Amino acid sequence: MERQGLGWVTVRGEAAGFAVREQPSSDYGIDAIAELIDDEIATGQLVAIQIKSGSSYLGETKDGCYIYRPDAQHVDYWLGHTLPVIVCLCDPENEVVYWERVAKDTIESTGKGYKLAVPQVRKLGKDTREALKDLVTPRVASSDYTLVSTEDVSHGMAKRYSIKVVLNRPMTKPELAAVIRDMTAKTAKRRYSRNAVVKGRWGEADAHVVWAFIYASAADEKKANYTCRSLWIDPSLDGEYAPIPLVGEDVGDGTIVDWKQSPLAGLSDNGKGDFDKEHYLDLVDPIVGLIIESLADIGKALQKWQSGASIESNFLSETKSARQQISDAYDAHASSQEPPYECHDLYEQVGSMLACTHNIVLYHSERGIELWTDYVRRQMTATALNDANKHLNRIKHERGKVS
């Protein structure tokens, strides 16, 4: 009976200009999602459907309406859903589908439960297209949000993307869901690859997995403080190669949204707080100057060690002061207050540079000497020194931008 009901909702929904897609049986309270089609083009505007089929749902009538009595758990779920929800009562014998939207003004509490009056004149079909169009999720202009990054995180068994989107205005949950669906669908069709190996593996294939992180502002994106996050997994992807499913709400097309804010939210307000540009520069300029001197000393000592004119013990003696300065600088920057937004690019480069230089300290610590041979330590030191100097060039560029 329920399958018959889904069949007639699909047929009548298509007559109204909607594409009806069955939802997984695990999606509590929603049996299908319908998408508005305009001029044979999918709009991304959706409505969720709960289907009840058979004469038992048509037995109680009052004032020209069928009375449907859902339980409180379903009512709470529908009213809290991101998508608009309609209930469809199906009469398979007469091939008719009656419908009504679920909203606070249509659901009536009886004290013991709830009831929904479904008008007998409201039949799903081409004549109700305009009424249904008034219910669907909103469309959001592309100028209202900005894609700020696309990361290819594919592996050999799945093509995967992770994107970050910054909002250009405040949005409601239905609007956010519309943005997420739109960006997820577009990202799944991307052909970007992080290198030639990945491109050779996946070629022109669509993505199997798309993560999306939504930020209320550019400042929030810098602080990794997302408003919500989502995950879409291609149903055809072998579960062995799929990521851990996200716990959240299905907002259509199998896209799951976790509406919880980032775990990092509010950490910058833990007593440190942001501090202004001049104070951050007063902190970072001496650190950078100190590192430049330290790297120069390490570079000279390393060159002698590599050429065979010196040995590791001499290197350690000649760089002892430099390595201590690096440790002090690393600790000072790591414990500093959150920088102002305009300094975040500089902050990230300084942090990356300090991480590279601090690796040199770690390589020649007691633990490093236990783990690696002197040859490996020398090679890793050379690599870290080279990487740190690359970051110093970028720091110079970022420092000029905030002067």
PDB file of all heavy atoms in Angstrom, residues 5 7 10-11 14 62 79 114 141 154 183 186 218 226 244 247 287 302 318 365-366 369 376-377 401:
ATOM      1  N   GLY A   5       1.240   4.238  -2.752  1.00  0.00           N
ATOM      2  CA  GLY A   5       1.125   5.655  -2.432  1.00  0.00           C
ATOM      3  C   GLY A   5       2.283   6.454  -2.989  1.00  0.00           C
ATOM      4  O   GLY A   5       2.088   7.533  -3.575  1.00  0.00           O
ATOM      5  N   GLY A   7       4.035   5.682  -5.543  1.00  0.00           N
ATOM      6  CA  GLY A   7       3.872   5.716  -6.995  1.00  0.00           C
ATOM      7  C   GLY A   7       2.936   6.826  -7.441  1.00  0.00           C
ATOM      8  O   GLY A   7       3.240   7.563  -8.391  1.00  0.00           O
ATOM      9  N   THR A  10       4.417  10.254  -6.918  1.00  0.00           N
ATOM     10  CA  THR A  10       5.391  10.526  -7.976  1.00  0.00           C
ATOM     11  C   THR A  10       4.700  10.965  -9.254  1.00  0.00           C
ATOM     12  O   THR A  10       5.086  11.957  -9.884  1.00  0.00           O
ATOM     13  CB  THR A  10       6.245   9.268  -8.244  1.00  0.00           C
ATOM     14  OG1 THR A  10       6.925   8.893  -7.040  1.00  0.00           O
ATOM     15  CG2 THR A  10       7.264   9.524  -9.343  1.00  0.00           C
ATOM     16  N   VAL A  11       3.643  10.236  -9.647  1.00  0.00           N
ATOM     17  CA  VAL A  11       2.917  10.560 -10.885  1.00  0.00           C
ATOM     18  C   VAL A  11       2.244  11.928 -10.777  1.00  0.00           C
ATOM     19  O   VAL A  11       2.370  12.779 -11.675  1.00  0.00           O
ATOM     20  CB  VAL A  11       1.870   9.466 -11.184  1.00  0.00           C
ATOM     21  CG1 VAL A  11       0.949   9.908 -12.322  1.00  0.00           C
ATOM     22  CG2 VAL A  11       2.562   8.157 -11.536  1.00  0.00           C
ATOM     23  N   GLU A  14       4.774  14.813 -10.633  1.00  0.00           N
ATOM     24  CA  GLU A  14       5.314  15.151 -11.946  1.00  0.00           C
ATOM     25  C   GLU A  14       4.320  15.963 -12.760  1.00  0.00           C
ATOM     26  O   GLU A  14       4.698  16.867 -13.504  1.00  0.00           O
ATOM     27  CB  GLU A  14       5.702  13.868 -12.691  1.00  0.00           C
ATOM     28  CG  GLU A  14       6.933  13.190 -12.105  1.00  0.00           C
ATOM     29  CD  GLU A  14       7.267  11.887 -12.797  1.00  0.00           C
ATOM     30  OE1 GLU A  14       6.449  11.439 -13.623  1.00  0.00           O
ATOM     31  OE2 GLU A  14       8.338  11.323 -12.508  1.00  0.00           O
ATOM     32  N   LYS A  62     -14.187  15.987   8.472  1.00  0.00           N
ATOM     33  CA  LYS A  62     -14.854  17.091   9.144  1.00  0.00           C
ATOM     34  C   LYS A  62     -14.711  18.347   8.303  1.00  0.00           C
ATOM     35  O   LYS A  62     -13.614  18.688   7.867  1.00  0.00           O
ATOM     36  CB  LYS A  62     -14.271  17.325  10.537  1.00  0.00           C
ATOM     37  CG  LYS A  62     -14.986  18.423  11.321  1.00  0.00           C
ATOM     38  CD  LYS A  62     -14.385  18.603  12.712  1.00  0.00           C
ATOM     39  CE  LYS A  62     -15.118  19.692  13.483  1.00  0.00           C
ATOM     40  NZ  LYS A  62     -14.534  19.904  14.833  1.00  0.00           N
ATOM     41  N   LEU A  79       8.066  20.188  12.060  1.00  0.00           N
ATOM     42  CA  LEU A  79       8.117  21.637  12.301  1.00  0.00           C
ATOM     43  C   LEU A  79       9.560  22.133  12.429  1.00  0.00           C
ATOM     44  O   LEU A  79       9.840  23.299  12.158  1.00  0.00           O
ATOM     45  CB  LEU A  79       7.322  22.001  13.564  1.00  0.00           C
ATOM     46  CG  LEU A  79       5.809  21.810  13.484  1.00  0.00           C
ATOM     47  CD1 LEU A  79       5.159  22.152  14.824  1.00  0.00           C
ATOM     48  CD2 LEU A  79       5.209  22.685  12.376  1.00  0.00           C
ATOM     49  N   TYR A 114      -2.175  15.482  18.164  1.00  0.00           N
ATOM     50  CA  TYR A 114      -2.300  16.533  17.153  1.00  0.00           C
ATOM     51  C   TYR A 114      -3.193  16.046  16.020  1.00  0.00           C
ATOM     52  O   TYR A 114      -3.383  14.843  15.818  1.00  0.00           O
ATOM     53  CB  TYR A 114      -0.928  16.892  16.577  1.00  0.00           C
ATOM     54  CG  TYR A 114      -0.014  17.574  17.570  1.00  0.00           C
ATOM     55  CD1 TYR A 114       0.815  16.823  18.403  1.00  0.00           C
ATOM     56  CD2 TYR A 114       0.024  18.957  17.671  1.00  0.00           C
ATOM     57  CE1 TYR A 114       1.651  17.434  19.320  1.00  0.00           C
ATOM     58  CE2 TYR A 114       0.856  19.587  18.584  1.00  0.00           C
ATOM     59  CZ  TYR A 114       1.666  18.818  19.403  1.00  0.00           C
ATOM     60  OH  TYR A 114       2.491  19.440  20.310  1.00  0.00           O
ATOM     61  N   ALA A 141      20.725  33.959  -4.438  1.00  0.00           N
ATOM     62  CA  ALA A 141      21.557  34.475  -5.520  1.00  0.00           C
ATOM     63  C   ALA A 141      23.019  34.108  -5.288  1.00  0.00           C
ATOM     64  O   ALA A 141      23.499  34.103  -4.152  1.00  0.00           O
ATOM     65  CB  ALA A 141      21.411  35.992  -5.618  1.00  0.00           C
ATOM     66  N   SER A 154      41.272  13.629  -2.652  1.00  0.00           N
ATOM     67  CA  SER A 154      40.990  12.310  -3.216  1.00  0.00           C
ATOM     68  C   SER A 154      42.043  11.298  -2.801  1.00  0.00           C
ATOM     69  O   SER A 154      43.171  11.654  -2.448  1.00  0.00           O
ATOM     70  CB  SER A 154      40.956  12.395  -4.742  1.00  0.00           C
ATOM     71  OG  SER A 154      39.998  13.327  -5.194  1.00  0.00           O
ATOM     72  N   MET A 183      26.106  24.301  -3.957  1.00  0.00           N
ATOM     73  CA  MET A 183      27.560  24.204  -4.013  1.00  0.00           C
ATOM     74  C   MET A 183      28.030  22.753  -4.028  1.00  0.00           C
ATOM     75  O   MET A 183      29.020  22.419  -4.669  1.00  0.00           O
ATOM     76  CB  MET A 183      28.186  24.956  -2.838  1.00  0.00           C
ATOM     77  CG  MET A 183      28.035  26.462  -2.916  1.00  0.00           C
ATOM     78  SD  MET A 183      28.628  27.151  -4.484  1.00  0.00           S
ATOM     79  CE  MET A 183      30.318  26.592  -4.509  1.00  0.00           C
ATOM     80  N   LYS A 186      27.482  21.427  -7.619  1.00  0.00           N
ATOM     81  CA  LYS A 186      28.464  21.994  -8.545  1.00  0.00           C
ATOM     82  C   LYS A 186      29.852  21.410  -8.295  1.00  0.00           C
ATOM     83  O   LYS A 186      30.592  21.114  -9.238  1.00  0.00           O
ATOM     84  CB  LYS A 186      28.507  23.516  -8.400  1.00  0.00           C
ATOM     85  CG  LYS A 186      27.272  24.225  -8.941  1.00  0.00           C
ATOM     86  CD  LYS A 186      27.358  25.726  -8.723  1.00  0.00           C
ATOM     87  CE  LYS A 186      26.133  26.427  -9.295  1.00  0.00           C
ATOM     88  NZ  LYS A 186      26.166  27.890  -9.012  1.00  0.00           N
ATOM     89  N   ALA A 218      34.244  36.332   6.562  1.00  0.00           N
ATOM     90  CA  ALA A 218      35.636  36.009   6.246  1.00  0.00           C
ATOM     91  C   ALA A 218      36.457  35.856   7.527  1.00  0.00           C
ATOM     92  O   ALA A 218      37.362  35.023   7.602  1.00  0.00           O
ATOM     93  CB  ALA A 218      36.232  37.096   5.356  1.00  0.00           C
ATOM     94  N   TYR A 226      33.209  27.573  11.719  1.00  0.00           N
ATOM     95  CA  TYR A 226      32.140  27.393  10.744  1.00  0.00           C
ATOM     96  C   TYR A 226      30.760  27.492  11.395  1.00  0.00           C
ATOM     97  O   TYR A 226      30.565  27.138  12.553  1.00  0.00           O
ATOM     98  CB  TYR A 226      32.287  26.065   9.999  1.00  0.00           C
ATOM     99  CG  TYR A 226      32.343  24.824  10.836  1.00  0.00           C
ATOM    100  CD1 TYR A 226      31.191  24.272  11.395  1.00  0.00           C
ATOM    101  CD2 TYR A 226      33.545  24.163  11.058  1.00  0.00           C
ATOM    102  CE1 TYR A 226      31.234  23.118  12.146  1.00  0.00           C
ATOM    103  CE2 TYR A 226      33.600  22.995  11.816  1.00  0.00           C
ATOM    104  CZ  TYR A 226      32.446  22.484  12.347  1.00  0.00           C
ATOM    105  OH  TYR A 226      32.485  21.330  13.094  1.00  0.00           O
ATOM    106  N   ILE A 244      33.458   8.420   7.339  1.00  0.00           N
ATOM    107  CA  ILE A 244      32.489   8.232   8.423  1.00  0.00           C
ATOM    108  C   ILE A 244      31.308   9.156   8.185  1.00  0.00           C
ATOM    109  O   ILE A 244      31.488  10.357   7.974  1.00  0.00           O
ATOM    110  CB  ILE A 244      33.142   8.540   9.777  1.00  0.00           C
ATOM    111  CG1 ILE A 244      34.298   7.562  10.044  1.00  0.00           C
ATOM    112  CG2 ILE A 244      32.109   8.468  10.899  1.00  0.00           C
ATOM    113  CD1 ILE A 244      35.098   7.899  11.280  1.00  0.00           C
ATOM    114  N   VAL A 247      26.551  13.021  11.230  1.00  0.00           N
ATOM    115  CA  VAL A 247      25.274  12.957  11.939  1.00  0.00           C
ATOM    116  C   VAL A 247      24.604  14.328  11.802  1.00  0.00           C
ATOM    117  O   VAL A 247      25.173  15.343  12.195  1.00  0.00           O
ATOM    118  CB  VAL A 247      25.480  12.616  13.425  1.00  0.00           C
ATOM    119  CG1 VAL A 247      24.143  12.647  14.170  1.00  0.00           C
ATOM    120  CG2 VAL A 247      26.140  11.256  13.573  1.00  0.00           C
ATOM    121  N   ILE A 287      60.516  38.726  16.577  1.00  0.00           N
ATOM    122  CA  ILE A 287      60.602  37.266  16.404  1.00  0.00           C
ATOM    123  C   ILE A 287      61.194  36.934  15.041  1.00  0.00           C
ATOM    124  O   ILE A 287      62.106  36.100  14.920  1.00  0.00           O
ATOM    125  CB  ILE A 287      59.214  36.622  16.577  1.00  0.00           C
ATOM    126  CG1 ILE A 287      58.818  36.608  18.053  1.00  0.00           C
ATOM    127  CG2 ILE A 287      59.196  35.205  16.002  1.00  0.00           C
ATOM    128  CD1 ILE A 287      57.440  36.041  18.310  1.00  0.00           C
ATOM    129  N   LEU A 302      75.692  24.278   9.128  1.00  0.00           N
ATOM    130  CA  LEU A 302      75.263  23.126   8.336  1.00  0.00           C
ATOM    131  C   LEU A 302      76.123  22.963   7.086  1.00  0.00           C
ATOM    132  O   LEU A 302      76.453  21.829   6.691  1.00  0.00           O
ATOM    133  CB  LEU A 302      73.787  23.276   7.948  1.00  0.00           C
ATOM    134  CG  LEU A 302      73.196  22.141   7.111  1.00  0.00           C
ATOM    135  CD1 LEU A 302      73.227  20.827   7.890  1.00  0.00           C
ATOM    136  CD2 LEU A 302      71.766  22.479   6.683  1.00  0.00           C
ATOM    137  N   GLU A 318      77.966  24.949  17.749  1.00  0.00           N
ATOM    138  CA  GLU A 318      77.896  26.237  17.060  1.00  0.00           C
ATOM    139  C   GLU A 318      76.455  26.762  16.948  1.00  0.00           C
ATOM    140  O   GLU A 318      76.253  27.967  16.783  1.00  0.00           O
ATOM    141  CB  GLU A 318      78.512  26.104  15.668  1.00  0.00           C
ATOM    142  CG  GLU A 318      80.014  25.860  15.690  1.00  0.00           C
ATOM    143  CD  GLU A 318      80.546  25.456  14.328  1.00  0.00           C
ATOM    144  OE1 GLU A 318      79.764  25.485  13.347  1.00  0.00           O
ATOM    145  OE2 GLU A 318      81.734  25.104  14.235  1.00  0.00           O
ATOM    146  N   SER A 365      67.334  17.159  19.273  1.00  0.00           N
ATOM    147  CA  SER A 365      67.053  16.947  20.691  1.00  0.00           C
ATOM    148  C   SER A 365      67.493  15.546  21.087  1.00  0.00           C
ATOM    149  O   SER A 365      67.880  14.734  20.228  1.00  0.00           O
ATOM    150  CB  SER A 365      65.556  17.111  20.958  1.00  0.00           C
ATOM    151  OG  SER A 365      64.826  16.079  20.292  1.00  0.00           O
ATOM    152  N   GLU A 366      67.442  15.225  22.358  1.00  0.00           N
ATOM    153  CA  GLU A 366      67.818  13.880  22.802  1.00  0.00           C
ATOM    154  C   GLU A 366      66.966  12.811  22.113  1.00  0.00           C
ATOM    155  O   GLU A 366      67.466  11.765  21.703  1.00  0.00           O
ATOM    156  CB  GLU A 366      67.661  13.775  24.318  1.00  0.00           C
ATOM    157  CG  GLU A 366      68.684  14.574  25.119  1.00  0.00           C
ATOM    158  CD  GLU A 366      68.538  14.338  26.612  1.00  0.00           C
ATOM    159  OE1 GLU A 366      67.751  13.433  27.000  1.00  0.00           O
ATOM    160  OE2 GLU A 366      69.199  15.042  27.395  1.00  0.00           O
ATOM    161  N   ILE A 369      67.978  12.452  18.404  1.00  0.00           N
ATOM    162  CA  ILE A 369      69.227  11.709  18.249  1.00  0.00           C
ATOM    163  C   ILE A 369      68.989  10.215  18.419  1.00  0.00           C
ATOM    164  O   ILE A 369      69.645   9.383  17.776  1.00  0.00           O
ATOM    165  CB  ILE A 369      70.277  12.235  19.245  1.00  0.00           C
ATOM    166  CG1 ILE A 369      70.687  13.672  18.846  1.00  0.00           C
ATOM    167  CG2 ILE A 369      71.497  11.338  19.290  1.00  0.00           C
ATOM    168  CD1 ILE A 369      71.582  14.361  19.856  1.00  0.00           C
ATOM    169  N   VAL A 376      70.497  11.218   8.415  1.00  0.00           N
ATOM    170  CA  VAL A 376      69.089  11.600   8.262  1.00  0.00           C
ATOM    171  C   VAL A 376      68.837  12.956   8.929  1.00  0.00           C
ATOM    172  O   VAL A 376      68.138  13.815   8.369  1.00  0.00           O
ATOM    173  CB  VAL A 376      68.168  10.519   8.870  1.00  0.00           C
ATOM    174  CG1 VAL A 376      66.723  11.009   8.912  1.00  0.00           C
ATOM    175  CG2 VAL A 376      68.275   9.231   8.065  1.00  0.00           C
ATOM    176  N   ARG A 377      69.420  13.167  10.089  1.00  0.00           N
ATOM    177  CA  ARG A 377      69.244  14.462  10.772  1.00  0.00           C
ATOM    178  C   ARG A 377      69.790  15.612   9.924  1.00  0.00           C
ATOM    179  O   ARG A 377      69.201  16.672   9.850  1.00  0.00           O
ATOM    180  CB  ARG A 377      69.926  14.432  12.143  1.00  0.00           C
ATOM    181  CG  ARG A 377      69.213  13.605  13.179  1.00  0.00           C
ATOM    182  CD  ARG A 377      69.729  13.901  14.582  1.00  0.00           C
ATOM    183  NE  ARG A 377      71.131  13.520  14.744  1.00  0.00           N
ATOM    184  CZ  ARG A 377      71.548  12.299  15.073  1.00  0.00           C
ATOM    185  NH1 ARG A 377      70.646  11.328  15.248  1.00  0.00           N
ATOM    186  NH2 ARG A 377      72.838  12.025  15.214  1.00  0.00           N
ATOM    187  N   LYS A 401      51.934  44.008   3.268  1.00  0.00           N
ATOM    188  CA  LYS A 401      50.502  44.234   3.075  1.00  0.00           C
ATOM    189  C   LYS A 401      49.846  44.880   4.301  1.00  0.00           C
ATOM    190  O   LYS A 401      48.821  45.546   4.181  1.00  0.00           O
ATOM    191  CB  LYS A 401      49.795  42.917   2.768  1.00  0.00           C
ATOM    192  CG  LYS A 401      50.085  42.394   1.367  1.00  0.00           C
ATOM    193  CD  LYS A 401      49.714  40.940   1.213  1.00  0.00           C
ATOM    194  CE  LYS A 401      48.274  40.648   1.526  1.00  0.00           C
ATOM    195  NZ  LYS A 401      47.926  39.228   1.279  1.00  0.00           N
TER     196      LYS A 401
END
